[in-house]
Amino acid sequence: MASHQIEALTQALARLPGLGPRSARRAVLHLMKKREGALEPLLAALQAVSETLSTCSTCGNVDTSDPCSICRDPRRDERLMCVVEEVADLWALDRSRLFPGRYHVLGGRLSALEGVRPEDLSIDKLVARVAAGGIDEVVLAMNATLEGQTTAHYLAERLEKFPIRLTQLAHGLPVGGELDYLDEGTLAQALRARRPVA
Amino acid sequence: MASHQIEALTQALARLPGLGPRSARRAVLHLMKKREGALEPLLAALQAVSETLSTCSTCGNVDTSDPCSICRDPRRDERLMCVVEEVADLWALDRSRLFPGRYHVLGGRLSALEGVRPEDLSIDKLVARVAAGGIDEVVLAMNATLEGQTTAHYLAERLEKFPIRLTQLAHGLPVGGELDYLDEGTLAQALRARRPVA
């Protein structure tokens, strides 16, 4: 019924996270009806990103320049480094604008199940960056999952010989979390890391 | 934090129906991580549609050819015509593969509130297509809204002088509809249009 070009566009959109076949069809219809206002801007934006896309050779962030805009930013505190599993984690943290330093993206997490070993991740590069000096603190910002924490332990071992502060994100109650609805693991973490009332 | 090219792509995606800022960001990240598998195919598909996009001068469908693939399809019964408000309605009906005829897209519905008059819609073209002959039945497939039904009444008046069967979609209980949860309007329609048990 629809032409093969439209079908191809629908399928390409449907493969994006958050879109399914139904919403992809709606998006295509929207693009076709709003040619000047939606289709052409999206096309131009995609083209621009496609032409400039690169992975930062320093930290592993994906950006449209190498080094990435974070590694090039002189206002960033280069003595502070935050290690994350994925680029998505970097973006999530950076959106909060709470971390003034730089990042290092591992490109995954250690996993016996999926066969991900230390050499599959950007760990040697991380150790080399720390070994090069000039860094005061490394924040291990792995996910609070079994594999994330295993990775954090492994990194801690690899980095303990350097004269840096090694920290990790606090675990405990999320904002708005109600005890009644939280899992036992979270409650146990929150209790174990309890702090004196100020 | 992100480059202006990435920001522009995120905003272009966020304007699609079904995507917001958050899911657009996730989609951009996906595109950047899967350059060969996601970004390039989407770019190529958009380019192909952008280059061939056209509105069918016969029925008003948007497609990548004029006349559209439905109007050109010789297997379609040209004596059967279904009139819809929007292209989205045509696509929805055609996906069901239940209608073997051709379509006519009005491009909207009559609306006193929004100031949409008959001359703003593709009604003269519809009348001309019917007047040209060769059509046995016209199905008025307007939405079951006040404005949709007003439009259907107006079209019925304009088309009653032609020797055609004029029909409209049945109104009643939707599949899976429970009486307890349906609005009174639907119940009234279903009761009024009740049929003998076969």
Side-chain angles (χ1 to χ4, degrees), chain B residues 8-44:
Chain B
L9 179 57
T10 310
Q11 283 176 14
L13 278 172
R15 262 181 254 117
L16 292 182
L19 280 176
R22 205 188 178 86
S23 41
R25 240 171 359 232
R26 244 186 325 145
V28 168
L29 205 55
H30 175 84
L31 289 171
M32 294 179 75
K33 284 176 71 180
K34 306 235 164 121
R35 186 182 188 142
E36 304 302 324
L39 197 153
E40 299 302 339
L42 179 57
L43 179 56

Coordinates of all heavy atoms in Angstrom, one line a residue, chain B residues 8-44:
Chain B
A8 N 20.5 20.1 17.7 CA 19.6 20.3 16.7 C 18.9 19.0 16.3 O 17.7 19.0 16.1 CB 20.3 20.9 15.4
L9 N 19.6 17.9 16.3 CA 19.0 16.6 15.9 C 18.1 16.2 17.0 O 17.0 15.7 16.7 CB 20.1 15.6 15.7 CG 19.6 14.1 15.4 CD1 18.8 14.1 14.2 CD2 20.8 13.2 15.2
T10 N 18.5 16.4 18.3 CA 17.6 16.0 19.4 C 16.3 16.8 19.3 O 15.2 16.3 19.5 CB 18.3 16.3 20.7 OG1 19.6 15.8 20.7 CG2 17.5 15.8 21.9
Q11 N 16.4 18.1 19.0 CA 15.2 18.9 18.9 C 14.3 18.5 17.8 O 13.1 18.5 17.9 CB 15.5 20.4 18.9 CG 15.9 20.9 20.2 CD 16.4 22.4 20.2 OE1 16.2 23.1 19.2 NE2 17.1 22.8 21.2
A12 N 14.9 18.2 16.6 CA 14.1 17.8 15.4 C 13.4 16.5 15.7 O 12.2 16.3 15.4 CB 15.0 17.6 14.2
L13 N 14.0 15.6 16.4 CA 13.4 14.3 16.8 C 12.3 14.5 17.8 O 11.2 13.9 17.8 CB 14.4 13.3 17.3 CG 15.2 12.6 16.2 CD1 16.3 11.8 16.8 CD2 14.3 11.6 15.4
A14 N 12.6 15.4 18.8 CA 11.6 15.6 19.9 C 10.3 16.2 19.4 O 9.3 16.1 20.1 CB 12.2 16.5 20.9
R15 N 10.3 16.8 18.2 CA 9.1 17.4 17.7 C 8.2 16.3 17.0 O 7.1 16.6 16.6 CB 9.4 18.5 16.7 CG 9.3 19.9 17.4 CD 9.6 21.0 16.5 NE 10.9 21.6 16.7 CZ 12.0 21.6 15.9 NH1 11.8 21.1 14.7 NH2 13.1 22.1 16.2
L16 N 8.7 15.1 16.8 CA 7.9 14.1 16.2 C 6.8 13.7 17.2 O 7.0 13.6 18.4 CB 8.7 12.9 15.9 CG 9.7 13.0 14.7 CD1 10.5 11.7 14.5 CD2 9.0 13.5 13.5
P17 N 5.6 13.3 16.7 CA 4.6 12.9 17.6 C 5.0 11.5 18.3 O 5.6 10.7 17.6 CB 3.4 12.6 16.7 CG 3.9 12.5 15.4 CD 5.2 13.3 15.3
G18 N 4.8 11.4 19.6 CA 5.2 10.2 20.2 C 6.6 10.2 20.8 O 7.0 9.4 21.6
L19 N 7.4 11.2 20.5 CA 8.7 11.4 21.1 C 8.7 12.7 21.9 O 8.2 13.7 21.5 CB 9.8 11.5 20.0 CG 10.3 10.1 19.4 CD1 11.3 10.4 18.3 CD2 10.9 9.3 20.5
G20 N 9.4 12.7 23.1 CA 9.6 13.9 23.8 C 11.1 14.2 23.9 O 11.8 13.4 23.3
P21 N 11.5 15.1 24.7 CA 12.9 15.5 24.8 C 13.7 14.3 25.3 O 14.8 14.0 24.9 CB 12.9 16.6 25.9 CG 11.5 17.1 26.0 CD 10.6 16.0 25.5
R22 N 13.1 13.5 26.3 CA 13.8 12.4 26.9 C 14.1 11.3 25.9 O 15.2 10.8 25.8 CB 13.0 11.9 28.1 CG 13.9 11.2 29.1 CD 13.0 10.6 30.2 NE 13.9 9.9 31.1 CZ 14.5 10.5 32.2 NH1 14.2 11.8 32.4 NH2 15.2 9.8 33.0
S23 N 13.0 10.9 25.2 CA 13.1 9.8 24.3 C 13.9 10.2 23.1 O 14.6 9.4 22.4 CB 11.8 9.2 23.9 OG 10.8 10.2 23.7
A24 N 13.8 11.5 22.7 CA 14.6 12.0 21.6 C 16.1 11.8 21.9 O 16.9 11.5 21.0 CB 14.3 13.4 21.2
R25 N 16.5 12.2 23.1 CA 17.9 12.1 23.5 C 18.3 10.6 23.4 O 19.4 10.3 23.0 CB 18.0 12.6 24.9 CG 19.0 13.7 25.0 CD 19.1 14.4 26.3 NE 18.2 13.9 27.3 CZ 17.4 14.7 28.0 NH1 17.3 16.0 27.7 NH2 16.6 14.2 28.9
R26 N 17.5 9.7 23.9 CA 17.8 8.3 23.8 C 18.0 7.9 22.4 O 18.9 7.1 22.0 CB 16.8 7.5 24.5 CG 17.3 6.8 25.7 CD 16.4 5.8 26.4 NE 15.0 6.2 26.3 CZ 14.0 5.4 26.2 NH1 14.2 4.1 26.1 NH2 12.7 5.9 26.2
A27 N 17.1 8.4 21.5 CA 17.2 8.0 20.1 C 18.4 8.5 19.5 O 19.1 7.8 18.7 CB 15.9 8.5 19.4
V28 N 18.8 9.8 19.8 CA 20.0 10.3 19.2 C 21.3 9.5 19.7 O 22.1 9.2 18.9 CB 20.2 11.8 19.7 CG1 21.6 12.3 19.4 CG2 19.1 12.7 19.1
L29 N 21.3 9.1 20.9 CA 22.4 8.3 21.5 C 22.5 7.0 20.7 O 23.5 6.6 20.3 CB 22.1 8.1 22.9 CG 23.3 7.8 23.8 CD1 24.3 8.9 23.7 CD2 22.9 7.7 25.2
H30 N 21.3 6.4 20.5 CA 21.2 5.2 19.7 C 21.8 5.4 18.3 O 22.6 4.6 17.8 CB 19.8 4.7 19.7 CG 19.5 3.5 18.9 ND1 19.7 2.2 19.3 CD2 19.1 3.3 17.6 CE1 19.4 1.3 18.4 NE2 19.1 2.0 17.3
L31 N 21.4 6.4 17.7 CA 21.8 6.7 16.3 C 23.3 6.9 16.3 O 24.0 6.5 15.3 CB 21.1 8.0 15.8 CG 19.6 7.8 15.4 CD1 19.0 9.2 15.1 CD2 19.5 6.9 14.3
M32 N 23.9 7.6 17.3 CA 25.3 7.9 17.3 C 26.1 6.7 17.6 O 27.2 6.5 17.1 CB 25.6 9.0 18.3 CG 24.9 10.3 17.8 SD 25.2 11.7 19.0 CE 26.9 12.1 18.7
K33 N 25.6 5.8 18.4 CA 26.3 4.6 18.7 C 26.2 3.6 17.6 O 27.1 2.8 17.4 CB 25.8 4.0 20.0 CG 26.2 4.7 21.2 CD 25.7 4.2 22.5 CE 26.2 2.8 22.9 NZ 25.6 2.3 24.1
K34 N 25.1 3.6 16.9 CA 24.9 2.6 15.8 C 25.0 3.4 14.5 O 23.9 3.5 13.8 CB 23.6 1.8 15.9 CG 23.5 1.2 17.2 CD 23.2 -0.3 17.1 CE 23.4 -1.0 18.4 NZ 22.3 -1.7 19.0
R35 N 26.1 3.9 14.1 CA 26.2 4.7 12.9 C 25.8 3.9 11.7 O 24.9 4.4 10.9 CB 27.6 5.2 12.8 CG 27.7 6.2 11.6 CD 29.2 6.7 11.4 NE 29.2 7.7 10.5 CZ 29.9 8.8 10.6 NH1 30.7 8.9 11.6 NH2 29.9 9.7 9.7
E36 N 26.4 2.8 11.4 CA 26.1 2.0 10.2 C 24.7 1.4 10.2 O 24.1 1.3 9.2 CB 27.2 0.9 10.0 CG 28.6 1.4 10.0 CD 28.9 2.4 8.9 OE1 28.3 2.3 7.9 OE2 29.7 3.4 9.2
G37 N 24.3 0.9 11.4 CA 23.1 0.2 11.5 C 21.9 1.0 11.7 O 20.8 0.5 11.4
A38 N 22.0 2.3 12.2 CA 20.8 3.0 12.4 C 20.9 4.4 11.8 O 19.9 4.8 11.1 CB 20.6 3.2 14.0
L39 N 21.9 5.2 12.0 CA 22.0 6.5 11.5 C 22.0 6.6 10.0 O 21.1 7.3 9.4 CB 23.2 7.2 12.1 CG 23.2 8.8 12.0 CD1 24.1 9.3 13.1 CD2 23.7 9.3 10.7
E40 N 22.8 5.8 9.4 CA 22.9 5.9 7.9 C 21.6 5.4 7.2 O 21.2 6.1 6.3 CB 24.2 5.2 7.4 CG 25.5 5.8 7.9 CD 25.7 7.2 7.6 OE1 25.1 7.7 6.6 OE2 26.5 7.9 8.2
P41 N 21.1 4.3 7.7 CA 19.8 3.9 7.0 C 18.7 4.9 7.2 O 17.9 5.2 6.2 CB 19.4 2.6 7.8 CG 20.7 2.1 8.3 CD 21.6 3.3 8.6
L42 N 18.6 5.5 8.4 CA 17.6 6.5 8.6 C 17.8 7.7 7.7 O 16.9 8.3 7.1 CB 17.5 6.9 10.1 CG 16.5 8.0 10.4 CD1 15.1 7.6 10.1 CD2 16.6 8.3 11.9
L43 N 19.0 8.1 7.6 CA 19.4 9.3 6.7 C 19.0 9.0 5.3 O 18.4 9.8 4.6 CB 20.9 9.5 6.9 CG 21.5 10.7 6.1 CD1 20.7 12.0 6.3 CD2 22.9 10.9 6.4
A44 N 19.4 7.8 4.8 CA 19.1 7.4 3.4 C 17.6 7.4 3.2 O 17.1 7.8 2.2 CB 19.7 6.1 3.1

